[in-house]
Amino acid sequence: MLQAAQTKAQGALPDWPEGLTRVPYWAFQSHDLYAREQARLFHGPHWNYLCLTEELKAPGDFVATHVGDTPVIAVRDQHGELYAFENRCAHRGSLLALDDRGHAKAFTCVYHGWSYSLQGELTGVAFKDGVKGKGGMPASFCLQAHGPRRLRVAEFCGLVFGSFSEEVPDIEDYLGPQIASHIERVLEGRTPVVLGRFTQMLPNNWKLYVENVRDSYHASILHLFFTTFELNRLSQKGGIIVSEGGGHHVSFSAIDRAAEADASYAAQQLRASSDYALADPTLLEGHSEVGDDVTLQILTVFPTFVLQQIQNSVAVRQVLPKGVQSTELNWTLLGFAEDTPEERRHRLKQANLVGSAGYISMEDGCVGGFVQRGSAGAADQTAVLEMGGATAESSESRVTEASIRGFWKAYRQAVAL
Amino acid sequence: MDWLAHILEAQARYARCLDDGPLEAWPDFFLDDGFYKITTADNHRRGLEAGLIWADNRRMLQDRVSALRHANIYERQSYRHVLGLPLIGARTDEEARSETPFVALRIVRDGPTDIFASGRSLDRWRRVGSELKLAERIVVCDSSRIDTLLALPL
């Protein structure tokens, strides 16, 4: 199957249009491209989010997740080290871990009893020496020569990443100082606590979702919650950071204290009148998340990781492709051990903003499907990404598609298109 | 107090309100300080607090309805709830707990009838005059997966 996938991955694909402003719709429809992504992107020199350090606290704690299509186990061994390896028995390919998370002393395949250490090494084969001197594995069979493929593992601010590639740069170099510092802003010096986990199945190619997350242009247009209830602060400043290679980004907005003090803003706010008002405006009562004025920070790490701070709703999102037209979006909502009861309450209330029922995110669950369905007969047509120019650079304006262009820049490099 | 008969009646009305409307009447099934949460069996088992929808008073439910009516964008859809029999738990003259299994089928536009969610609602009912109000409803979905989006409440 993998051999077939790799053969297919070399299959010819149509030419990609010049520049960064056009994305061909076949990119969301092609099975050949999907196979190439599995080989070059998900098994290539990139870091994929696996889980939180918090989820692997004690020796033996494991999480079964995926890197692209490939099932992977992330585990803490008896010496406290983190390991990750394929969730695949080296014998006949069966899953080793049958739970999404749990605690193990070793992994034993249920099919024929081959067993593995927490480091992913084959340690035993049932009936290896046969029964009563008959049967068994040949004398030449070497346990050390067999095992699931192992991943490199990196931890950053309580996030665990894995890579199938030996060539992947160290995580700090991969992120770069700007992206790293924005992850640190939210996660460093605090102890994350999982408040809930939710999975949203999206009826579209995974790249339509990672485009959407990087798309700061659509926010005030598609998501009408803040506008309808007149909750937009007029006095906001913000911007976009696109990483050097284009693949990662940060979009942020903050309270603009200078503008807030300006009487003209106050006057405009007074004039604003809405037919709709929240019956319970405490939904948006919160605290400064980390002591600064930033109220929103959406951060992506290429290819499929998202860290979100929307007011006091902090979450990580993991994007997993499940075939050309299906995507699994795993939300892990976070609080921190340091939260006061009041701060925790803010998080639980503001979780109403996000996720599959989120006031400002439920539309992201369906809009990818609208594109997938809308572009069904248009493999030879392209999407247009000209908002904010043609480059993939940081900008003070969030009315730009620069970070989407950045994603495609990094993506094309990764899959050699 | 015949709690079973009253809870059956209230559940039937609640399901009909969600499935056939008007949605605006949905918050009235709750007390002013009623609690409502949609979560998953996995989160519930692990004692994780967050919900897909989380409200600690009736006004938050009214806001959910206003947002669905005036702000949020989703394809036209409806549910058909099929309820199992409520199991009545601890009860006094004024208050009773119940646990009721449900299946919610979803129809998006004029598409097929899909199984959207199954689960149970863990309820605390309070007698208010001649009717029952919800002091608490925790909807525990059996699966952690939500297809596309969760617009209408369960």
Side-chain angles (χ1 to χ4, degrees):
Chain A
M1 181 68 203
L2 188 66
Q3 200 59 50
Q6 273 167 352
T7 311
K8 245 186 159 183
Q10 274 125 40
L13 291 161
D15 286 335
W16 197 280
E18 283 294 305
L20 298 176
T21 61
R22 295 291 184 273
V23 177
Y25 290 120
W26 59 258
F28 309 111
Q29 301 165 351
S30 165
H31 290 265
D32 287 345
L33 181 58
Y34 187 86
R36 190 189 290 209
E37 287 166 356
Q38 295 304 320
R40 292 187 185 238
L41 187 70
F42 295 109
H43 282 229
H46 309 99
W47 287 109
N48 295 275
Y49 171 77
L50 301 178
C51 61
L52 301 166
T53 304
E54 151 73 20
E55 294 171 297
L56 302 176
K57 265 195 287 213
D61 285 354
F62 74 88
V63 169
T65 181
H66 290 81
V67 168
D69 276 344
T70 309
V72 161
I73 297 171
V75 59
R76 187 176 295 279
D77 81 350
Q78 57 271 42
H79 309 296
E81 295 296 315
L82 294 184
Y83 285 84
F85 46 88
E86 276 178 292
N87 187 4
R88 173 182 66 86
C89 181
H91 176 216
R92 299 268 290 277
S94 168
L95 290 172
L96 293 173
L98 299 178
D99 259 326
D100 293 335
R101 57 195 72 245
H103 189 83
K105 286 196 169 76
F107 293 97
T108 301
C109 179
V110 295
Y111 201 173
H112 301 92
W114 288 31
S115 53
Y116 300 85
S117 68
L118 297 179
Q119 294 89 5
E121 287 165 336
L122 180 61
T123 52
V125 168
F127 302 121
K128 181 166 174 288
D129 301 323
V131 177
K132 293 182 182 165
K134 294 193 174 128
M137 298 296 275
S140 61
F141 183 80
C142 173
L143 292 180
Q144 289 77 18
H146 298 267
R149 287 173 292 183
R150 293 209 262 180
L151 288 83
R152 276 185 68 186
V153 175
E155 272 183 279
F156 188 80
C157 281
L159 307 171
V160 181
F161 293 90
S163 177
F164 276 106
S165 168
E166 285 298 325
E167 275 82 58
V168 69
D170 287 344
I171 190 74
E172 286 82 0
D173 295 334
Y174 183 81
L175 297 170
Q178 273 188 309
I179 301 297
S181 72
H182 282 82
I183 295 175
E184 286 164 347
R185 181 186 155 267
V186 178
L187 296 179
E188 199 178 46
R190 308 200 275 180
T191 314
V193 176
V194 174
L195 300 182
R197 298 187 188 91
F198 300 97
T199 297
Q200 191 173 4
M201 297 306 296
L202 307 175
N204 52 262
N205 187 272
W206 67 276
K207 299 187 294 298
L208 287 169
Y209 185 75
V210 300
E211 271 196 321
N212 172 278
V213 175
R214 287 167 172 81
D215 177 357
S216 49
Y217 172 28
H218 82 282
S220 62
I221 301 167
L222 177 64
H223 308 303
L224 294 174
F225 179 76
F226 281 124
T227 317
T228 302
F229 294 98
E230 297 271 336
L231 302 169
N232 278 342
R233 302 186 79 111
L234 299 169
S235 48
Q236 287 274 3
K237 57 184 180 184
I240 297 276
I241 298 165
V242 184
S243 69
E244 201 178 312
H248 327 307
H249 100 294
V250 184
S251 168
F252 67 95
S253 61
I255 301 162
D256 187 339
R257 298 275 168 199
E260 194 124 283
D262 189 319
S264 65
Y265 273 94
Q268 282 189 56
Q269 275 172 324
L270 283 176
R271 276 200 302 275
S273 71
S274 173
D275 290 342
Y276 307 109
L278 287 181
D280 182 9
T282 67
L283 175 72
L284 297 172
E285 275 178 10
H287 56 279
S288 169
E289 183 57 47
V290 293
D292 60 17
D293 285 337
V294 175
T295 52
L296 175 140
Q297 177 185 301
I298 305 290
L299 179 151
T300 57
V301 175
F302 185 81
T304 48
F305 173 74
V306 184
L307 170 65
Q308 144 216 317
Q309 177 220 335
I310 297 173
Q311 306 201 6
N312 299 123
S313 171
V314 177
V316 297
R317 309 179 202 163
Q318 178 195 38
V319 182
L320 295 176
K322 295 289 167 190
V324 171
Q325 298 201 14
S326 179
T327 300
E328 182 178 309
L329 177 60
N330 291 313
W331 298 77
T332 305
L333 304 188
L334 298 180
F336 296 90
E338 296 80 6
D339 287 344
T340 65
E342 194 188 7
E343 287 170 342
R344 184 61 60 84
R345 198 167 191 79
H346 294 156
R347 299 193 194 288
L348 296 171
K349 270 200 175 184
Q350 290 178 12
N352 283 293
L353 297 173
V354 305
S356 48
Y359 283 136
I360 59 165
S361 74
M362 74 168 75
E363 292 87 3
D364 295 328
C366 59
V367 80
F370 296 166
V371 176
Q372 193 81 46
R373 283 147 62 190
S375 57
D380 59 343
Q381 301 291 302
T382 64
V384 177
L385 293 175
E386 293 191 31
M387 191 58 66
T391 60
E393 289 165 349
S394 301
S395 104
E396 281 182 17
S397 168
R398 293 200 295 140
V399 188
T400 176
E401 289 165 325
S403 33
I404 309 177
R405 289 188 290 271
F407 169 78
W408 290 110
K409 186 177 156 190
Y411 174 86
R412 287 170 59 187
Q413 166 114 19
V415 299
L417 269 174
Chain B
M1 172 87 179
D2 183 355
W3 280 106
L4 178 61
H6 282 83
I7 288 172
L8 281 170
E9 163 87 11
Q11 292 279 35
R13 286 184 187 281
Y14 183 104
R16 187 177 194 228
C17 173
L18 288 186
D19 296 351
D20 298 297
L23 194 57
E24 281 70 12
W26 168 63
D28 294 334
F29 285 90
F30 291 80
L31 293 172
D32 283 349
D33 61 351
F35 181 83
Y36 176 78
K37 176 165 94 166
I38 300 181
T39 186
T40 70
D42 188 63
N43 287 321
H44 188 71
R45 193 164 45 237
R46 294 174 193 276
L48 302 179
E49 298 174 89
L52 286 165
I53 298 179
W54 189 102
D56 63 359
N57 65 69
R58 186 155 53 98
R59 285 164 294 130
M60 285 186 78
L61 304 181
Q62 289 164 349
D63 289 339
R64 189 49 78 166
V65 174
S66 322
L68 290 173
R69 289 282 193 237
H70 306 296
N72 288 120
I73 293 164
Y74 50 94
E75 286 177 285
R76 178 172 53 81
Q77 52 191 263
S78 62
Y79 294 153
R80 181 63 57 199
H81 275 80
V82 181
L83 301 182
L85 293 175
L87 179 67
I88 313 298
R91 76 208 86 165
T92 64
D93 276 351
E94 296 306 312
E95 203 173 281
R97 288 179 182 272
S98 69
E99 177 181 327
T100 309
F102 71 91
V103 172
L105 307 167
R106 183 172 68 176
I107 302 90
V108 177
R109 286 164 56 175
D110 201 23
T113 296
D114 291 321
I115 296 172
F116 178 62
S118 70
R120 56 197 175 128
S121 66
L122 306 178
D123 301 326
R124 197 152 53 83
W125 301 91
R126 178 96 44 88
R127 197 159 61 149
V128 178
S130 60
E131 49 180 8
L132 298 188
K133 298 276 188 190
L134 282 162
E136 181 176 283
R137 163 160 291 197
I138 298 174
V139 180
V140 181
C141 296
D142 293 326
S143 168
S144 293
R145 293 174 176 222
I146 292 290
D147 174 58
T148 309
L149 53 78
L150 190 154
L152 307 169
L154 290 166

